[in-house]
Amino acid sequence: MVTRSRALCQTASWRDELAAAYRTLPPLLAALDLEPERLPGLAPAGARDLGERRFPLLVTRTLVRAMRRGDPRDPILRQVLPLASEQQPAPGFVADPLAERAAGADSGLLRKYRGRALLLLTSACALHCRYCFRRHFRHDALPPLTARLDAAFDQLAAAPGIDELILSGGDPLLLDDAALDQVLARATALGSLRRLRIHTRLPLALPSRITPALCRILAERPWPIAMVIQTNHPRELGDEARAALERLAASGLTLLNQSVLLRGVNDDAGTLAALGETLFDSGVLPYYLHQLDPVQGAAHFQVADARARALLAEVRERLPGYLVPRLVREHPGARAKTPL
Ligand SMILES: *Cc1c(COP(=O)(O)O)cnc(C)c1O
Ligand code: SF4
């Protein structure tokens, strides 16, 4: 009884924390001691609070506490700040850069790579990353979760050779415990999986979501689970995030990180090297460093391939090999991510 009521209270607390996230610019800038005038290129007044109708400003308080007050170029702020230039077309930058719509994203199940299937569980996130390649998805057009799960698990049961299920989104850990437990139970019932993977930013964006109850749900599975978090800058890994990652590691999960190479956020070798070391301090191994997907609205983050390669070469000289991520780009239709 005691455990249960404590679990309920923790559930309430991550939901409260999510409800208290910043969704408009004025209170965010006030919290950071920043005048709008110090942020040239902000989305114009009117559009300012929304950024864009379907992809408004959103960032949790945990991440805002990790930003440097008074710094208009803070690398965590850059990731979530809507700029006017997002509205301008840039050559080559399109709504669906990975052609996921054609690959089946409308049903929520993506089967692009051999042996792996990716399930989009929810469209909700705890923060809106301006460079997100799924930022233009009409997630509201997805059928309700139960119907999608029925269809996805029917497809999975009929598909030979899927040994890894990847839960993605949005952020799959924004589902509540009961729904996640059900997804994992259905995945177990398939009988064919060898492992499961979860893509999430919540350990750093909403660490209170990593409750003991959630850790138990994840630990009780018959196959190993890899959790791939996404951090782009070492300051995203504060004390709360590290504690959440420790709880996950103690539950037997393998922890990996993917980053996106972003101009003005992490496009220098010192930051990338510090990220690798900070990740390892938290029990996480660097996995991928992605070249930006050319999604409309994200052109201001682009780093040229030649510079990306040079940065990685420098990181390779500074760090042990196991802390160097693989630099990759995703090409629509390719059989795997392409090393650069
Ligand atoms: C990236 C990706 C995967 C997983 O690729 P890994 O190289 O195994 O990490 C699977 N499905 C889709 C649709 C992806 O974009
Ligand atoms: S899906 Fe991931 S990258 Fe995209 S907005 Fe959500 S948390 Fe950010």
Side-chain angles (χ1 to χ4, degrees), residues 166-203:
I166 305 171
L167 306 183
S168 188
D171 204 305
L173 294 187
L174 284 181
L175 260 61
D176 63 26
D177 287 358
L180 274 172
D181 201 27
Q182 198 202 93
V183 171
L184 293 171
R186 294 180 81 159
T188 306
L190 286 173
S192 53
L193 297 185
R194 292 189 61 176
R195 51 187 181 270
L196 185 115
R197 192 194 314 185
I198 300 175
H199 285 175
T200 177
R201 287 202 89 174
L202 294 201

Side-chain angles (χ1 to χ4, degrees), residues 53-89:
R53 273 189 101 79
R54 286 194 216 106
F55 201 62
L57 170 74
L58 176 64
V59 60
T60 58
R61 293 190 178 237
T62 302
L63 281 173
V64 174
R65 281 195 292 276
M67 295 175 187
R68 259 191 314 252
R69 292 166 73 99
D71 182 359
R73 281 201 285 272
D74 180 87
I76 304 174
L77 177 62
R78 302 294 302 174
Q79 293 179 51
V80 297
L81 195 68
L83 299 182
S85 63
E86 293 182 16
Q87 313 296 331
Q88 282 146 26

Side-chain angles (χ1 to χ4, degrees), residues 98 100 110-113 116-118 133-134 164 166 197 199 287-288 290 330 337:
L98 304 182
E100 284 196 335
L110 283 162
R111 284 177 49 205
K112 274 166 59 175
Y113 296 162
R116 286 149 287 172
L118 185 145
F133 68 93
R134 294 204 179 109
E164 177 170 344
I166 305 171
R197 192 194 314 185
H199 285 175
Y287 178 38
Y288 281 142
H290 293 269
E330 197 166 342
K337 308 220 192 284

Side-chain angles (χ1 to χ4, degrees), residues 125 127-129 132 170 201 230:
C125 290
L127 76 165
H128 283 165
C129 316
C132 179
R201 287 202 89 174
Q230 190 209 125

